Amino acid sequence: MTNLSHLAYYIETFGCQMNENDSERIAGVLDAAGGRRAASAETSGLVIVNTCAVRAKSEEKLYSYLGRLRGMKKTRGLVIAVAGCVAQLRGDDLNAERPFVDIVIGPDNYHRLPELLAAGGTGARALTAWSDGWNEDERRLLVRASPTSAFVTIMEGCNNFCSYCIVPFTRGREKFRPLRAVLADVETLARSGYREIQFLGQNVNAYRDAEAGAAFPDLLDRAAAIPGPEWIRFLTSHPRSFGPEIIAAMARSRAVCRQLHLPLQSGSSAVLGRMNRGYSRADYLAKIRGLREAMPGIHLSTDIIVGFPGETEEEFGETMSALAEIRFSNIFSFRYSPRPGTSAARMGDDIPLEVKRRRLAEVQALQKTIQTGIHQSFVGRTIRVLGTGRSRKDPAVFSGRSEGYQVVNFSAADDPVGRFVRVRITSAGPYSLRGEAEAFEPLPPRSVDYHP
Ligand code: 5AD
Ligand code: SF4
């Protein structure tokens, strides 16, 4: 096996939770080969940039970061690797246009990193081959960033081909992790004291394990039956494949959080049609009704795109009215960005930038009002919070998440990281709640037979 004991590495992660989990996977591969973690790019001998290609802006982040790395490389030896979705998408072009990049490697190839480092790079050809199966050996090495909350990838890729979306080109077609491997992971995490598990996949609802005869609701049932992690979440769901069986599995589970991220993208059925989303506004609203009937008070969040090709003022107005009607606890909103190879890129990007900007500002202003109202209704209540760290603005204040995935900043006499805390909410802004810890829940005993 390659020995990388001379190498201090640093991973810079852009993009979604899947990329965060993949960076833990990369760290596992490098650590197993003897690599050491560096605290920053400046103090490392190898920088791996794990990249996102979902919008042009995400990709630009890589190029400006690479500019910085190139400067560092001029003054000292530095190995530069580009991993993740831009590596997969741009492949050989990345090597050709930026010869100072030593390694270009897609998500299915991370197990080969040590061998490439020993050989001095990928040279002219990016490593972007797809593999059909799961590399469980490599996943077992994964080094987790948090001792409290764990990501567990259950599937990868997407077969939906939403017309705007690059993901089928960066992550390939759907493939599923065997159920027994998922459950074994949950058991290990339970034994080592993890309090929260987040199942990940580009389209988790499509999950299936043919051999085990299991679909996504079975996975939820089986995972929730494992004693330990009190909170289970999952993302991302697709409204098209989000059916009553999943709602029922969520509702009957002790551990599945009353929280769901369900991307709407647009409130206009016509735009949804052009996006190839496979549901109408009415379909989506019916799913929301089903969720709220089964789980009153459930926190819902969503993604919105404004300025999709051909989006009229009227169609945009339907997105605004859907937001007002549904009242999401949180949204992520974006200006449409044409991506190479997608079918929407051939429709023409006809909405002027200033119109997109104005629509985005309108969406965000409306949501700010809605969120402020929701958050205000928590003032005076005591809620359960999982402590995750310290507030970014004020390190004397702790930070955590509610079951609804709201950010809660709070004062506490003891360190609450990794603990469930009852927090009395004293004030609220549009993006977070503030409060005071009233009581810590006791920690469950950790199993003595666990050897990390
Ligand atoms: N332009 C703008 N936003 C996009 N998203 C995905 N592709 C694009 C694009 N081409 C948004 C969607 C998706 C989220 C992760 O990013 O809202 O749900
Ligand atoms: Fe970005 Fe999508 Fe890749 Fe995640 S899967 S890093 S959101 S392009």
Side-chain angles (χ1 to χ4, degrees):
M1 193 190 227
T2 324
N3 187 346
L4 302 179
S5 57
H6 58 287
L7 200 63
Y9 69 87
Y10 177 76
I11 308 178
E12 179 72 35
T13 309
F14 301 128
C16 65
Q17 287 88 340
M18 173 78 76
N19 260 18
E20 284 179 40
N21 193 217
D22 280 356
S23 290
E24 297 178 323
R25 189 152 67 91
I26 294 172
V29 168
L30 295 178
D31 285 4
R36 282 178 297 117
R37 205 82 60 90
S40 64
E42 285 73 15
T43 55
S44 73
L46 160 68
V47 177
I48 298 135
V49 201
N50 198 0
T51 60
C52 173
V54 78
R55 287 168 291 276
K57 237 165 119 179
S58 336
E59 215 179 319
E60 282 153 19
K61 260 194 187 165
L62 163 68
Y63 301 129
S64 70
Y65 189 69
L66 279 180
R68 268 181 56 198
L69 294 183
R70 186 185 196 180
M72 278 184 226
K73 192 168 183 154
K74 279 189 185 141
T75 55
R76 64 187 175 88
L78 178 68
V79 180
I80 301 174
V82 177
C85 292
V86 182
Q88 188 67 39
L89 183 70
R90 301 291 180 190
D92 295 338
D93 289 350
L94 247 168
N95 296 54
E97 288 161 17
R98 292 174 175 77
F100 60 95
V101 172
D102 303 285
I103 291 174
V104 179
I105 187 164
D108 275 359
N109 298 276
Y110 296 153
H111 58 284
R112 296 191 57 191
L113 263 170
E115 153 207 340
L116 291 172
L117 287 163
T122 35
R125 295 212 69 78
L127 212 67
T128 51
W130 299 109
S131 83
D132 297 331
W134 279 94
N135 187 339
E136 275 303 319
D137 290 343
E138 172 205 291
R139 272 180 198 271
R140 261 191 286 281
L141 302 174
L142 198 139
V143 180
R144 298 193 175 276
S146 159
T148 303
S149 178
F151 295 124
V152 174
T153 295
I154 62 167
M155 62 86 63
E156 221 188 309
C158 190
N159 294 358
N160 281 313
F161 286 93
C162 301
S163 61
Y164 53 79
C165 188
I166 198 75
V167 166
F169 305 92
T170 64
R171 294 279 174 173
R173 292 304 88 70
E174 286 171 353
K175 59 186 178 199
F176 306 102
R177 192 170 178 206
L179 183 64
R180 60 182 155 68
V182 173
L183 297 175
D185 238 11
V186 175
E187 272 165 19
T188 306
L189 292 163
R191 278 204 298 278
S192 44
Y194 277 82
R195 322 304 306 274
E196 179 182 58
I197 286 178
Q198 305 199 43
F199 290 124
L200 297 183
Q202 276 79 29
N203 182 17
V204 289
N205 313 145
Y207 180 84
R208 60 180 181 273
D209 177 335
E211 226 169 87
F216 187 60
D218 306 306
L219 183 149
L220 281 184
D221 283 340
R222 299 279 298 272
I226 296 170
E230 285 95 327
W231 279 355
I232 293 177
R233 308 177 191 276
F234 53 89
L235 91 168
T236 298
S237 296
H238 192 304
R240 170 160 38 195
S241 45
F242 193 87
E245 317 75 32
I246 302 175
I247 298 181
M250 290 176 78
R252 70 177 164 254
S253 161
R254 153 197 75 80
V256 177
C257 290
R258 274 30 185 165
Q259 174 262 331
L260 180 72
H261 184 68
L262 194 64
L264 168 64
Q265 312 299 3
S266 167
S268 152
S269 296
V271 175
L272 290 170
R274 299 204 291 281
M275 288 178 165
N276 190 32
R277 289 289 285 172
Y279 57 89
S280 66
R281 176 192 177 101
D283 295 336
Y284 187 91
L285 290 174
K287 287 175 205 277
I288 297 293
R289 262 197 309 280
L291 280 157
R292 286 186 163 150
E293 271 162 23
M295 288 166 283
I298 185 172
H299 281 269
L300 301 166
S301 59
T302 205
D303 292 341
I304 296 291
I305 297 176
V306 300
F308 187 78
E311 185 186 65
T312 63
E313 281 304 322
E314 215 181 345
E315 288 167 346
F316 169 66
E318 291 183 273
T319 295
M320 293 290 280
S321 67
L323 292 177
E325 187 175 336
I326 298 166
R327 293 178 62 82
F328 290 101
S329 296
N330 194 13
I331 69 165
F332 301 87
S333 50
F334 313 100
R335 294 195 303 256
Y336 169 71
S337 161
R339 304 308 291 132
T342 60
S343 63
R346 292 189 291 277
M347 295 175 190
D349 185 15
D350 59 350
I351 308 297
L353 183 59
E354 60 275 18
V355 175
K356 284 184 187 169
R357 283 206 173 116
R358 194 246 308 145
R359 289 181 186 170
L360 187 68
E362 281 184 36
V363 159
Q364 292 178 345
L366 170 62
Q367 181 60 22
K368 193 172 173 186
T369 311
I370 293 170
Q371 253 170 251
T372 305
I374 293 176
H375 284 177
Q376 284 299 331
S377 72
F378 278 82
V379 175
R381 282 165 60 184
T382 295
I383 60 170
R384 200 169 181 224
V385 173
L386 178 58
T388 51
R390 288 175 190 272
S391 153
R392 250 179 291 164
K393 280 192 207 134
D394 178 0
V397 173
F398 294 105
S399 178
R401 294 273 186 178
S402 68
E403 182 177 347
Y405 216 56
Q406 295 151 308
V407 175
V408 185
N409 295 314
F410 58 101
S411 55
D414 287 329
D415 187 343
V417 174
R419 304 288 300 267
F420 280 103
V421 187
R422 306 210 74 88
V423 176
R424 196 171 55 84
I425 303 303
T426 50
S427 65
Y431 307 112
S432 64
L433 303 171
R434 276 177 297 280
E436 290 156 10
E438 279 187 337
F440 280 50
E441 291 181 16
L443 272 173
R446 287 187 187 221
S447 166
V448 285
D449 65 359
Y450 176 66
H451 306 285

